[in-house]
Amino acid sequence: MIISQFRNYSPINIVFLSLVGFVLCLGIFLHLPDKLDSVIFEPALGNLLGENNLINLSPATNVFITLILTIFQATILNRITSHFNLLGKPSFLVALMYMTLASLFLPFLVLSPTLICNFISIWMLSKLLSLYRQTDVKAEMFDLGMIVGIGSLVYFPFLSMFGLLWIGLLIFRPFNWREWITPLLGLATVYFILAVIYLWMGKMQQFYTIWLPFTYKFPTAIRIQLVDYLVLVPVFFTLILFLMVLKDNFFKSVVHIRKSFQLLFFMLCLAVVSFYWNKKLTEAHFLLCAPSIAIYMAYYFTYAKKKWFFEVVYAIITLTIIYFQFF
């Protein structure tokens, strides 16, 4: 079965991962629109690129490139998880879960700023997890500040991840004010260079519009069609199962693993609450939640004991995704 196969740390699973990814996006391949334009940078770089910011690809090419990028992200995240031993044993389950989550909604299956930002999220996560073992992290924190700045140029709500840098310091490090200041310097460096470019191109007024999301009011009510989100029910059920397994194993884990799971929780929270910084909210924003949730779900499937049960749980997740793509 699928989960049992991906519990093995075998290179052949990359082939199976690609097959799973293709099956999970088969619905959009069979119902491609006549035209599918994608904006990949907004708003900071988008203001500079203008019409060149629009990717004019055939719908099939757009979806295929997205699939390839998602497979790369899944394998990179899986490698990082194995390197830091977050699951306690090597497997390809994180890659499988990431690929599954990246197929939940149709907006996840086309090129978008959040898809590009997930490369940056995974890179940032790798650096944050390494803080625990280093003696001097000031240079690392400066780099992380720049990484968040670059990510926010692609997709402005990614700026919320700056808070994760300070949370990471709280979790992994004793207080050192120099380590807290250096990420600010890294972030400021990115926007200083951007401001110079805008000034040089005579677009300084457009530079000020980048910061408009800070003026948006947090919504007190969100209108959603519940039927569109039924696909999340089996995912939430799996997360409940994860919490039950984590409860039994949490204090048996080494300190770094416990701290890493706390970091993932705050990463997930920041990804969710920053949605209102995007004036045109779509499901694509929540692709930023995929790395954290993928690791959580993989943890459950790593330690689940009843084979028939966890295989059925994953089958329900995949069948639900396929059903809502076709119907």
Side-chain angles (χ1 to χ4, degrees):
M1 299 295 284
I2 295 178
I3 296 298
S4 299
Q5 174 61 40
F6 279 86
R7 277 183 164 184
N8 302 316
Y9 194 70
S10 171
I12 192 65
N13 282 333
I14 297 177
V15 177
F16 291 129
L17 181 71
S18 303
L19 292 174
V20 170
F22 180 76
V23 170
L24 290 177
C25 66
L26 190 60
I28 193 171
F29 270 119
L30 297 178
H31 299 91
L32 287 170
D34 297 330
K35 189 177 181 181
L36 189 61
D37 294 330
S38 294
V39 175
I40 58 170
F41 301 121
E42 54 176 38
L45 293 181
N47 291 342
L48 293 175
L49 294 173
E51 294 182 357
N52 295 326
N53 189 35
L54 197 63
I55 302 298
N56 296 309
L57 298 171
S58 68
T61 303
N62 191 314
V63 176
F64 181 73
I65 291 175
T66 302
L67 175 61
I68 297 299
L69 293 178
T70 304
I71 292 170
F72 271 114
Q73 290 176 352
T75 52
I76 294 169
L77 182 63
N78 193 88
R79 182 178 179 182
I80 291 169
T81 307
S82 298
H83 175 74
F84 290 101
N85 198 31
L86 296 186
L87 302 184
K89 58 188 76 173
S91 71
F92 263 85
L93 286 172
V94 172
L96 176 65
M97 293 303 112
Y98 184 85
M99 180 60 68
T100 305
L101 292 170
S103 307
L104 279 175
F105 300 108
L106 292 181
F108 288 5
L109 300 174
V110 298
L111 289 172
S112 65
T114 48
L115 178 69
I116 306 302
C117 274
N118 265 359
F119 278 109
I120 302 173
S121 291
I122 295 168
W123 182 22
M124 187 176 73
L125 180 62
S126 175
K127 285 183 167 292
L128 285 169
L129 292 176
S130 68
L131 295 180
Y132 188 68
R133 298 187 177 101
Q134 298 185 41
T135 54
D136 187 359
V137 300
K138 290 190 288 294
E140 197 81 3
M141 295 308 298
F142 181 85
D143 292 343
L144 281 165
M146 293 192 69
I147 290 170
V148 172
I150 292 169
S152 67
L153 300 187
V154 177
Y155 182 63
F156 187 80
F158 190 81
L159 190 61
S160 65
M161 289 299 161
F162 185 83
L164 190 66
L165 307 187
W166 283 341
I167 291 171
L169 288 174
L170 279 173
I171 292 174
F172 292 121
R173 308 283 301 176
F175 179 77
N176 183 332
W177 68 270
R178 293 180 180 85
E179 294 176 357
W180 285 63
I181 293 297
T182 46
L184 278 173
L185 296 177
L187 180 67
T189 299
V190 171
Y191 277 94
F192 175 77
I193 295 172
L194 183 68
V196 171
I197 295 172
Y198 268 87
L199 182 63
W200 179 56
M201 297 183 67
K203 295 184 176 182
M204 204 58 191
Q205 282 299 122
Q206 289 179 292
F207 176 76
Y208 299 133
T209 64
I210 295 172
W211 310 102
L212 285 178
F214 285 122
T215 65
Y216 298 162
K217 293 182 178 179
F218 196 88
T220 56
I222 303 174
R223 296 180 181 179
I224 60 174
Q225 296 292 330
L226 289 178
V227 68
D228 295 335
Y229 295 90
L230 290 177
V231 70
L232 294 175
V233 172
V235 174
F236 284 133
F237 178 69
T238 307
L239 289 177
I240 293 172
L241 295 174
F242 153 73
L243 290 174
M244 294 171 65
V245 172
L246 183 67
K247 177 177 64 68
D248 295 332
N249 296 332
F250 187 73
F251 291 104
K252 299 177 185 178
S253 304
V254 297
V255 173
H256 182 250
I257 304 302
R258 297 203 298 265
K259 290 178 178 290
S260 299
F261 274 84
Q262 293 172 35
L263 182 74
L264 290 169
F265 172 74
F266 288 108
M267 185 178 184
L268 174 61
C269 291
L270 289 171
V272 171
V273 300
S274 63
F275 74 92
Y276 78 99
W277 281 353
N278 187 351
K279 192 171 184 179
K280 297 179 180 178
L281 177 65
T282 66
E283 289 93 344
H285 170 85
F286 298 101
L287 187 58
L288 294 174
C289 303
S292 302
I293 297 178
I295 296 173
Y296 284 163
M297 292 174 65
Y299 189 88
Y300 162 69
F301 285 112
T302 298
Y303 290 98
K305 295 179 180 179
K306 294 182 179 179
K307 181 177 179 179
W308 69 269
F309 183 74
F310 63 70
E311 293 288 0
V312 168
V313 169
Y314 183 71
I316 291 173
I317 294 173
T318 54
L319 291 174
T320 305
I321 292 171
I322 294 170
Y323 175 83
F324 279 97
Q325 284 188 8
F326 281 93
F327 303 97

